[in-house]
Amino acid sequence: MATTASCPPSALPISIATSTAGARLTSAHGSRASHAAARPPLPTMARAALLLPRAPLLRRLLLAGALAASYSYFLLVLQAQASVPPRYDGFAYGGAGSAATLKDAVLVEAFLDPLCSDSRDGWPPLKLAVERYSPRVSLIVHPFPLPYHTYSFMACRALHIANHLNSSSTYPLLELFFKNQGKFSNSATSSVSSTAVTGAISMMAAQAVGNSVSEFQSGFSDSRSDSAARVSFKYGCTRGVAGAPFFFVNGFLQPGAGSPIDYDTWTRILDPLVAQHGQTVEMFPSAM
């Protein structure tokens, strides 16, 4: 008659069939425990054979998981191909947006949230460093709205609206957001309607842009500003951005992502790169 041997809680339950003769042998030579202790351990192949009935199910589950992952990746690739923006995301600082300028300079990319205190603290030292090394260092800022700042996405939309109305006002508006973060924080806007918040943003932005408040606020009704802010967020996700600020230099993520970088650290990062700037660097030098 088949019996199921008990096992400790940390072990996998394994069904072991024993014959009647085996049971008589156990009773003749003492307890089952002493007989098991005297018996040599099962060979590796024998132990594996006990698990064979479970293997087909495990293989089916793994195959189903692999197919689901492949299908999800295929859908993401299709979506990414369908949503390629007409221009590279971000705002070039100081007129450094031309292809020739970007090609001939060290490129710094910053992913900043206008309502993030760490982005605010990381902006002044970055700005100083870029201005120190300009034109050998170029900067592009990508707005990246963090989901736990209620009106961060609206703030990023405002940057795109400002860039559309007057491209020279984008960075002044970004600095106004940094200066007035308290007005648009979660606690300050918890009992305020979204219409009132966009109105307050428009009033502040009009100072930097030079347009009327109503003209700026109409940008929030334009689907293009919504689409541009979504593209900025999605682009950050494709680069592995998971917070703010995130900094890349010539495409490489800098340590301490999610935290500000001080001015001295920026000079240590950029000094050796700028020193090599203009020199012909052999990526694959020939063997000596």
Side-chain angles (χ1 to χ4, degrees):
M1 181 177 181
T3 60
T4 303
S6 61
C7 60
S10 60
L12 292 174
I14 302 175
S15 298
I16 304 175
T18 58
S19 64
T20 304
R24 288 197 300 270
L25 181 62
T26 300
S27 60
H29 291 275
S31 67
R32 185 183 299 272
S34 61
H35 177 68
R39 185 174 55 199
L42 288 172
T44 302
M45 293 300 294
R47 290 198 302 270
L50 294 174
L51 297 176
L52 280 179
R54 294 171 181 242
L57 175 60
L58 179 60
R59 283 198 297 268
R60 287 196 296 270
L61 291 175
L62 291 175
L63 179 59
L67 290 175
S70 300
Y71 183 68
S72 299
Y73 177 77
F74 178 72
L75 290 180
L76 288 174
V77 169
L78 288 181
Q79 183 180 7
Q81 291 175 343
S83 60
V84 175
R87 57 178 293 274
Y88 190 70
D89 179 72
F91 310 120
Y93 181 75
S98 67
T101 303
L102 295 177
K103 178 182 177 182
D104 297 332
V106 177
L107 177 59
V108 177
E109 292 178 273
F111 290 81
L112 306 178
D113 180 344
L115 302 185
C116 168
S117 58
D118 286 330
S119 296
R120 176 198 63 203
D121 296 341
W123 171 244
L126 172 60
K127 179 181 176 181
L128 284 175
V130 170
E131 291 177 347
R132 170 182 174 175
Y133 294 106
S134 180
R136 293 170 293 174
V137 172
S138 296
L139 170 65
I140 293 179
V141 167
H142 304 274
F144 189 78
L146 297 175
Y148 37 84
H149 296 150
T150 306
Y151 286 100
S152 178
F153 185 77
M154 287 297 183
C156 291
R157 286 187 68 179
L159 293 177
H160 283 286
I161 295 170
N163 191 68
H164 173 70
L165 295 174
N166 178 5
S167 60
S168 64
S169 69
T170 310
Y171 281 95
L173 178 56
L174 176 63
E175 292 178 344
L176 278 175
F177 273 118
F178 287 154
K179 184 179 179 180
N180 296 278
Q181 281 183 349
K183 296 180 180 179
F184 305 104
S185 66
N186 292 356
S187 58
T189 58
S190 60
S191 58
V192 182
S193 68
S194 59
T195 302
V197 173
T198 56
I201 290 175
S202 299
M203 291 182 63
M204 181 185 72
Q207 306 173 29
V209 178
N211 293 66
S212 66
V213 175
S214 59
E215 185 178 5
F216 191 94
Q217 191 163 11
S218 66
F220 287 108
S221 302
D222 191 335
S223 61
R224 290 176 295 180
S225 67
D226 180 83
S227 176
R230 290 172 185 262
V231 167
S232 294
F233 177 75
K234 291 178 181 180
Y235 178 67
C237 293
T238 66
R239 297 285 296 273
V241 175
F246 265 50
F247 301 107
F248 293 79
V249 176
N250 285 344
F252 285 80
L253 177 64
Q254 298 306 294
S259 300
I261 296 179
D262 59 45
Y263 179 76
D264 290 338
T265 303
W266 275 120
T267 57
R268 288 196 296 270
I269 294 171
L270 297 175
D271 266 338
L273 299 176
V274 171
Q276 298 178 45
H277 193 64
Q279 302 177 7
T280 301
V281 181
E282 292 187 57
M283 296 300 293
F284 302 100
S286 58
M288 297 298 293

